């Protein structure tokens, strides 16, 4: 356990972390104010190239961009372990980096971490829920909060318990990777998915597919700013998908339309929670097997072109304000394995009504009995 490291082991871990930083500097990745020598390669290349373009255009990288450039958070895990072994609070740069592991140091409110999970579509097994409660008692303050994205987060985690918490979460078959900072946050879907008699499609498999795609593609971490994606399956409970950077809303297309009849998703872009900015229809119709590649294409266009200099103007909404949705969709086509299916909203049937009190009381579900 990290709290049992000997002084020699701690010195070894500190040297290992320092060696990583030196190696990155030797690869030309340490100085954020200068271009990388030669063309960057690997999953971080799209981010490095975007930073270099911002600097070449006369901009100055935001501090958070410098932090990512100097030491990518996923290359700093040994440093996090050293800090845990010493029960050491993170400095500002590492406080930002460790959010890539779902850890937020909450001083001055609390001299402790908050840890946020990733739970796609809010689906937990009962034994996982019990396991989270156990972890909250062992490594945190004995409680967990439910978030607005159908997620859980735990507070009052001492620095010495940070690594224990992150690794124990993975032992439960859950994770906290990318739950904070400049990453795609927990993927949300219809809260009554799979049991709602009104729904057009069960969003759980799609949220899960996108969740695992994100987990296994490092190039989707370290965006210009945070990013939200939601799926609405057309059920009686809404998911507020139009407050997300990308919202996918299930629709039914009937016969005698320019596209074959069936269930599709309309893609909406540019929502921003808390800013009275709602996502607008992108004029694109997608089959269920196309939505994950579409989301990835939009995210990559944002990675390449979002603002890396001004944190207040770095959300995707502001890129759309500069460009407009049609240009963003056109730019994203370069990352798409198929052509966009353009279609106006007149091809689909209106959405069935949302029951704003549907979370109260007892209701019939899709399964008989």
């Amino acid at each position: 356990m990290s709290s049992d490291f000997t002084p020699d082991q701690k010195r070894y871990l500190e040297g290992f972390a320092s060696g990583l930083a030196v190696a990155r500097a030797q690869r030309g990745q340490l100085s954020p104010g200068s271009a990388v020598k030669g063309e960057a390669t690997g999953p971080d290349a799209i981010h490095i190239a975007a930073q270099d373009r911002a600097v070449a255009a006369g901009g100055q990288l935001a501090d958070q961009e410098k932090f990512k450039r100097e030491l990518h958070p996923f290359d700093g895990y040994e440093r996090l372990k050293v800090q845990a072994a010493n029960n050491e609070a993170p400095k500002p740069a590492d406080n930002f980096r460790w959010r890539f592991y779902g850890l937020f140091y909450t001083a001055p409110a609390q001299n402790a971490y908050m840890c946020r999970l990733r739970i796609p579509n809010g689906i937990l097994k009962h034994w996982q829920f019990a396991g989270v409660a156990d972890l909250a008692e062992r490594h945190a303050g004995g409680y967990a909060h439910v978030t607005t994205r159908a997620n859980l987060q735990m507070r009052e985690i001492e620095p010495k318990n940070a690594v224990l918490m992150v690794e124990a979460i993975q032992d439960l078959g859950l994770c906290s990777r990318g739950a904070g900072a400049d990453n795609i946050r927990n993927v949300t879907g219809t809260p009554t998915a799979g049991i709602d008699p009104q729904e057009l499609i069960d969003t759980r498999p799609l949220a899960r597919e996108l969740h695992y795609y994100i987990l296994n593609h490092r190039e989707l971490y370290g965006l210009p700013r945070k990013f939200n994606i939601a799926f609405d399956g057309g059920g009686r409970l809404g998911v507020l998908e139009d407050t997300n950077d990308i919202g996918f809303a299930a629709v039914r297309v009937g016969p005698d339309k320019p596209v074959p009849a069936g269930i599709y998703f309309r893609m909406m872009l540019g929502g921003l929670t808390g800013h009275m900015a709602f996502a607008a229809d992108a004029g694109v119709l997608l089959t269920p097997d196309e939505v994950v590649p579409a989301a990835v294409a939009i995210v990559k266009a944002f990675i390449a072109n979002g603002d890396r200099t001004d944190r207040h103007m770095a959300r995707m909404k502001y890129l759309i304000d500069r460009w407009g949705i049609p240009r963003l969709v056109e730019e994203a086509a370069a990352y798409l394995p198929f052509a966009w299916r353009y279609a106006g909203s007149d091809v689909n049937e209106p959405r069935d009504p949302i029951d704003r009190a549907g979370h109260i009381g007892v209701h019939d579900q899709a399964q008989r009995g």
Side-chain angles (χ1 to χ4, degrees), residues 99-148:
R99 295 180 185 194
F100 278 56
Y101 299 101
L103 293 169
F104 299 69
Y105 196 69
T106 57
Q110 296 171 332
N111 293 320
Y113 284 105
M114 178 269 283
C115 185
R116 181 183 296 151
L117 279 62
R118 294 187 74 92
I119 308 174
N121 213 128
I123 302 299
L124 277 175
K125 303 293 186 183
H126 67 89
W127 54 268
Q128 290 175 317
F129 207 14
V132 170
D134 178 60
L135 294 184
E137 290 184 342
R138 281 197 284 139
H139 301 314
Y143 58 92
H145 287 149
V146 180
T147 78
T148 56

Side-chain angles (χ1 to χ4, degrees), residues 5-18 82 85-86:
F5 287 150
T6 67
D8 286 343
Q9 288 172 325
K10 292 178 183 179
R11 284 193 292 272
Y12 168 80
L13 290 174
E14 290 168 346
F16 185 87
S18 299
V82 169
N86 294 327

Side-chain angles (χ1 to χ4, degrees), residues 46-47 50 219-220 223-224 298-306 308:
I46 188 172
H47 301 276
E219 70 272 18
L220 299 185
L223 283 60
I298 294 293
V299 170
K300 286 185 176 179
F302 173 57
I303 290 171
N305 298 284
R308 302 277 181 165

Side-chain angles (χ1 to χ4, degrees), residues 33-56:
S34 61
V36 176
K37 295 180 180 179
E39 185 175 352
T41 60
D44 302 331
I46 188 172
H47 301 276
I48 293 169
Q51 293 170 339
D52 286 346
R53 285 194 298 272
V55 172

Side-chain angles (χ1 to χ4, degrees), residues 84-247:
N86 294 327
N87 200 27
E88 177 186 342
K91 299 294 191 295
D94 284 340
N95 184 21
F96 173 78
R97 291 187 182 104
W98 304 156
R99 295 180 185 194
F100 278 56
Y101 299 101
L103 293 169
F104 299 69
Y105 196 69
T106 57
Q110 296 171 332
N111 293 320
Y113 284 105
M114 178 269 283
C115 185
R116 181 183 296 151
L117 279 62
R118 294 187 74 92
I119 308 174
N121 213 128
I123 302 299
L124 277 175
K125 303 293 186 183
H126 67 89
W127 54 268
Q128 290 175 317
F129 207 14
V132 170
D134 178 60
L135 294 184
E137 290 184 342
R138 281 197 284 139
H139 301 314
Y143 58 92
H145 287 149
V146 180
T147 78
T148 56
R149 301 196 65 79
N151 205 347
L152 295 174
Q153 57 191 34
M154 294 166 280
R155 292 182 178 272
E156 300 183 46
I157 302 166
E158 292 185 63
K160 66 182 180 182
N161 290 327
V163 171
L164 294 174
M165 177 64 82
V166 168
E167 294 181 354
I169 287 168
Q170 294 182 56
D171 289 339
L172 285 174
L174 301 171
C175 76
S176 58
R177 187 180 181 91
D182 299 344
N183 299 305
I184 305 170
R185 301 302 177 82
N186 192 47
V187 181
T188 56
T190 299
T192 50
I195 63 172
D196 192 327
Q198 178 179 296
E199 73 180 5
L200 298 177
I201 189 169
D202 184 348
T203 61
R204 292 175 297 174
L206 296 172
R208 183 179 186 276
E209 181 183 354
L210 182 55
H211 167 79
Y212 279 104
Y213 191 100
I214 294 165
L215 288 185
N216 289 290
H217 287 80
R218 174 162 157 162
E219 70 272 18
L220 299 185
Y221 294 84
L223 283 60
R225 280 301 298 271
K226 64 179 284 190
F227 203 93
N228 292 325
I229 302 174
F231 294 94
D232 178 72
R236 288 177 59 187
L237 293 186
V239 76
L240 302 178
E241 71 281 359
D242 57 357
T243 65
N244 288 255
D245 295 271
I246 305 176

